[in-house]
Each structure stands twice: as structure tokens, then as C-alpha cells.
Amino acid sequence: MNIGITGARGRLAPLLVKHFQERGTNVCQYSRSGTDGMLPLTELFENPPNDLLIHCAWSTVPLTAEADPDAVFREDLPLLEKIVRSTEAYGTRIVFPSSGAVYGNTGETPASEDDALQPLGAYAKAKITAENFLLENAASRLVILRTTNLLGESADPNKPQGILPRLVDSALHGTRVEIWGDGSATKDYIHYSDFLSGLEASLSAPGIWNVGSGCSYSLVEIIKIVEELIGRPIHFSHRPSFEWDVSHSIISVERLKTTGWKPKMSMSEAVERFLRDLKQR
């Protein structure tokens, strides 16, 4: 199989590259700059992979999207249009990592792929815009992954996404973590290993797939788990929550389970795995 992965310098793509290369798959990495062994995006348009393209490149994260809500129209949709046009003749399958945030606040009932979308923030709205474009122009070869919050993929506490590195860094080194609101907001989290196996399972058919754990945790609960496993307190301060951030989110993964996939790692196991990986770095 010949796989292309865009956004090679981002948060998700390095996990995917390592995952597929370890299985002996030929992986081409693309980035806007095209340096350090990565190909420029222009190479993708001229010579696209003929099997699978996982499109991770995205111009914003939830926090930065609020300051630049038009980025999706200025950068992301034009890029998607070029990708669809350049891969069409090859029949290349496209995987688009979207977000569980497209459902907004879900309440107690897990949101399924057929539920109404009620996004709160610019990031989630931009993902829906991209989803709709892809569904209109490449539905027969498209897999959309509405993914929840990834755990364990990075050890860098300074990155704008990923709460676990910051909590662990606070417990180990006494740094202070800024918490939005009172920490009671609950969200669905999934360990990256479960995400990777879920991605492979989703390739069984085109369509929209939720990828999550099916469980929801508050930040207070995660803090307690980290403190108990490390044996040290986490130092944190509060700031008002953002209007665009969900207060309760949980998604249903029943559709993906029909492929035989299921998430294997609990929150405690995910934190333990992160701590083991951290020692080996």
C-alpha cells in the first residue's frame, strides 16, 4: 500500500507515520515547507499516492481558531479542493480527521454519527464546512473520523493541545497548569493506540465514523488519577471557561464496533502508559 500523510509537522501525523512504517507500508510525508525528508504539498498535487491519503494538515487548533475563523476559507478549503482534484483520477481514498466537537454539548446520551451537529466554536464549525465539501465532492472514497480528545501522543507540555503532558509536568516538576472553568466539564478521551486501530477499522467502508472511548471524564477526575499514580500534587490556577468550549461531550462508538474494533485502554491505563513512555524518551 502507498500512503500519503499531510500535516507531517503536526500533532497527529507523526503517530500515523510511525504506525504504518512499522507495518512495512510505504509512507510519503507532506508539509508546506517540504524539508527534513518531507515532500512539499506541490508534489502531492503532481504525483498523489494512489492508495490512501490521510489529510491531517489543518491551519488552526480550537484555541487559535477563535482569533481567525476565516482560515478555513482562506487556507483549508482551497487545499482540500486541490487534493480532491489531484487524486480523483487515481481513485485515492481520503481519510479526513474531523472532530467530536462538531456535536457540541451532547448531554448524557452519546452522540451518534446521525445526530444533529451543534458546534459551539469556530474550529468545530470549520471542520463541518470541510466535511460538507468533501462529502459533496468525494463521498465514494471518503472516510471522515470524528475523533475525540487524544491521550498520550506527546510529551511536550508547551503544545496548545493535550492536557495530559501539562498535568504530568506539573506533578513532576511543580509547574502550574491553567484550568478553564472549575474542571467539572466532561469530555471523551481516547488513547492514541486505540485511535490508530480505530482508523484502520474505519477503512472497511467509506462514510462517517466516530472514534472515541465512549466514556466521559472531567478534568477533576483526570487530575486525581495523575496525582495518585505519580504520588505528587498538581498545581493549577483557574480562568473562566470559554464560550466555545463544550461543558459535556460524549460520543457513541457503536458504529465502529460493528467492524470488530473496540477501545482497550482505560483512563488510568492511558496515564500509566504515558508515564512509561516518558521514562523511555
Side-chain angles (χ1 to χ4, degrees):
M1 181 181 289
N2 184 20
I3 293 180
I5 300 176
T6 66
R9 297 185 186 280
R11 178 188 182 199
L12 180 57
L15 292 174
L16 296 167
V17 171
K18 183 174 184 291
H19 175 76
F20 285 107
Q21 284 182 339
E22 286 178 345
R23 284 154 177 76
T25 302
N26 180 44
V27 179
C28 293
Q29 303 177 61
Y30 302 93
S31 72
R32 286 179 173 86
S33 60
T35 57
D36 299 328
M38 301 172 190
L39 299 173
L41 286 173
T42 51
E43 178 68 20
L44 167 61
F45 307 143
E46 297 168 3
N47 186 29
N50 54 16
D51 290 316
L52 182 68
L53 177 67
I54 306 176
H55 180 49
C56 298
W58 199 253
S59 61
T60 62
V61 296
L63 184 61
T64 62
E66 298 304 311
D68 192 8
D70 294 328
V72 65
F73 301 101
R74 187 179 63 253
E75 298 184 39
D76 300 310
L77 287 182
L79 178 55
L80 280 175
E81 184 177 359
K82 289 181 180 179
I83 286 173
V84 168
R85 185 170 63 246
S86 62
T87 59
E88 187 172 14
Y90 297 85
T92 306
R93 290 185 294 167
I94 299 173
V95 174
F96 178 66
S98 185
S99 171
V102 298
Y103 298 112
N105 287 317
T106 62
E108 296 301 323
T109 303
S112 75
E113 291 87 346
D114 298 321
D115 285 350
L117 305 182
Q118 299 177 318
L120 299 181
Y123 179 82
K125 293 173 183 177
K127 287 291 188 176
I128 292 174
T129 301
E131 282 189 18
N132 289 336
F133 172 81
L134 288 167
L135 287 168
E136 290 171 3
N137 293 278
S140 64
R141 54 192 180 97
L142 174 66
V143 170
I144 291 174
L145 303 180
R146 290 178 178 164
T147 307
T148 54
N149 300 276
L150 282 179
L151 285 173
E153 84 298 342
S154 169
D156 187 350
N158 298 310
K159 288 192 174 182
Q161 283 181 293
I163 187 61
L164 189 54
R166 295 199 291 276
L167 295 180
V168 169
D169 189 66
S170 176
L172 292 177
H173 304 115
T175 56
R176 187 164 294 275
V177 181
E178 184 180 78
I179 292 177
W180 303 345
D182 61 3
S184 63
T186 56
K187 300 179 181 181
D188 192 315
Y189 296 84
I190 184 171
H191 189 264
Y192 73 84
S193 61
D194 285 331
F195 165 77
L196 292 171
S197 61
L199 183 151
E200 290 206 355
S202 73
L203 298 179
S204 60
I208 299 172
W209 304 85
N210 285 346
V211 187
S213 68
C215 299
S216 192
Y217 293 86
S218 71
L219 194 51
V220 171
E221 291 173 314
I222 300 174
I223 288 173
K224 183 178 180 181
I225 290 171
V226 173
E227 288 180 331
E228 289 179 348
L229 288 173
I230 295 179
R232 297 180 186 176
I234 289 171
H235 306 275
F236 54 86
S237 57
H238 294 275
R239 62 140 292 142
S241 58
F242 294 102
E243 292 183 359
W244 52 264
D245 193 32
V246 297
S247 59
H248 185 75
S249 175
I250 183 170
I251 66 172
S252 169
V253 291
E254 294 306 309
R255 178 173 294 178
L256 193 55
K257 283 182 177 180
T258 63
T259 66
W261 170 90
K262 65 179 180 179
K264 296 179 179 179
M265 203 167 293
S266 69
M267 177 61 71
S268 293
E269 290 168 334
V271 175
E272 289 177 340
R273 169 75 175 270
F274 180 83
L275 294 173
R276 288 198 304 271
D277 290 346
L278 191 62
K279 290 180 179 179
Q280 295 172 2
R281 288 188 172 99

